[in-house]
Amino acid sequence: DTEVTQTPKHLVMGMTNKKSLKCEQHMGHRAMYWYKQKAKKPPELMFVYSYEKLSINESVPSRFSPECPNSSLLNLHLHALQPEDSALYLCASSQERDTHGPQHFGDGTRLSIL
Amino acid sequence: GQQVMQIPQYQHVQEGEDFTTYCNSSTTLSNIQWYKQRPGGHPVFLIQLVKSGEVKKQKRLTFQFGEAKKNSSLHITATQTTDVGTYFCAGGNFGNEKLTFGTGTRLTIIP
């Protein structure tokens, strides 16, 4: 069982749709992350939030818009995605704002763009 | 930018044989973490190494951090079918929230 909950588990959307991915953790972690993972590849960092503020944006296209409403929640808003955006989107959290500590991953959202 | 490479990319072993994956960073790291991802699953944290030359053991798994803090290895003794998955190292730097994941080694076990 994972302590980081992601919804939905699967999402199929057209290129003109708007959807949101949600992530929730109740471990009191102050850093939260979005990763994108293509098949047979490592997770690629997209965004990092520390203490509810965006601290890292890895030059992600603006069609991906992150939001951190509070310390337990992280959203990823999707709009006008491209077929190459199809991937597993992983949310993670960690206690500390630097990398000295494990990251806890959710099960991910498998996204398919038609 | 920082690159973290792992070899081999794939490894098929007979059950009971040993397995080793090697991780090499293009830059000096403050720490290295290891994760395991089962097929269809998500990465699960295994261990973190911080000190130069550090060696840590978890049952059949042995993790090492190189003296120069640029490389690391994971050795599994007497593999079991439950060891199947992709093993990723991930390098970190002081004062930086970013972990750079290695390319991964996919382990399959022949029963």
Side-chain angles (χ1 to χ4, degrees):
Chain A
D1 287 339
T2 183
E3 297 168 316
V4 176
T5 304
Q6 288 187 243
T7 55
K9 292 194 182 304
H10 302 274
L11 179 62
V12 179
M13 56 187 286
M15 288 189 284
T16 58
N17 293 155
K18 286 185 181 180
K19 296 285 185 184
S20 297
L21 308 185
K22 297 187 182 300
C23 175
E24 189 169 4
Q25 59 89 13
H26 293 288
M27 296 178 281
H29 289 174
R30 304 316 300 262
M32 296 185 76
Y33 313 79
W34 280 114
Y35 287 88
K36 174 183 177 181
Q37 187 176 29
K38 301 284 266 185
K40 300 183 181 180
K41 297 292 185 183
E44 292 177 40
L45 184 66
M46 299 174 72
F47 303 103
V48 180
Y49 273 82
S50 288
Y51 294 84
E52 301 163 47
K53 293 192 187 316
L54 182 65
S55 61
I56 294 179
N57 176 341
E58 289 287 289
S59 302
V60 179
S62 60
R63 57 186 185 268
F64 295 92
S65 175
E67 179 195 18
C68 189
N70 60 56
S71 60
S72 300
L73 294 174
L74 187 65
N75 298 322
L76 186 63
H77 303 298
L78 314 173
H79 173 55
L81 295 194
Q82 303 298 309
E84 61 265 26
D85 297 322
S86 297
L88 177 67
Y89 288 83
L90 292 161
C91 173
S93 69
S94 65
Q95 190 165 19
E96 303 295 333
R97 62 183 297 168
D98 63 24
T99 60
H100 281 250
Q103 291 190 11
H104 297 255
F105 285 82
D107 289 335
T109 295
R110 295 197 179 273
L111 177 65
S112 297
I113 307 300
L114 301 178
Chain B
Q2 182 181 58
Q3 291 187 332
V4 181
M5 305 295 292
Q6 284 182 250
I7 55 171
Q9 189 176 1
Y10 301 96
Q11 185 82 60
H12 311 283
V13 300
Q14 201 83 31
E15 187 176 8
E17 290 181 340
D18 293 355
F19 159 77
T20 304
T21 172
Y22 300 92
C23 173
N24 292 286
S25 170
S26 59
T27 60
T28 302
L29 302 168
S30 63
N31 69 89
I32 195 138
Q33 299 180 11
W34 284 90
Y35 291 80
K36 175 184 178 182
Q37 186 172 19
R38 293 180 184 274
H42 59 273
V44 174
F45 175 79
L46 295 176
I47 207 158
Q48 176 173 271
L49 305 169
V50 179
K51 299 177 184 175
S52 170
E54 189 170 12
V55 178
K56 286 189 176 181
K57 293 189 176 185
Q58 286 181 350
K59 296 182 180 178
R60 296 178 294 105
L61 278 61
T62 302
F63 304 84
Q64 293 188 327
F65 200 9
E67 294 290 341
K69 301 184 76 173
K70 294 182 71 174
N71 57 72
S72 181
S73 65
L74 158 60
H75 179 83
I76 302 178
T77 303
T79 54
Q80 301 174 359
T81 55
T82 52
D83 295 325
V84 163
T86 301
Y87 292 85
F88 292 104
C89 63
N93 292 286
F94 287 113
N96 188 331
E97 298 99 331
K98 179 178 177 178
L99 270 182
T100 301
F101 277 79
T103 48
T105 295
R106 188 173 180 182
L107 173 64
T108 57
I109 307 287
I110 306 164

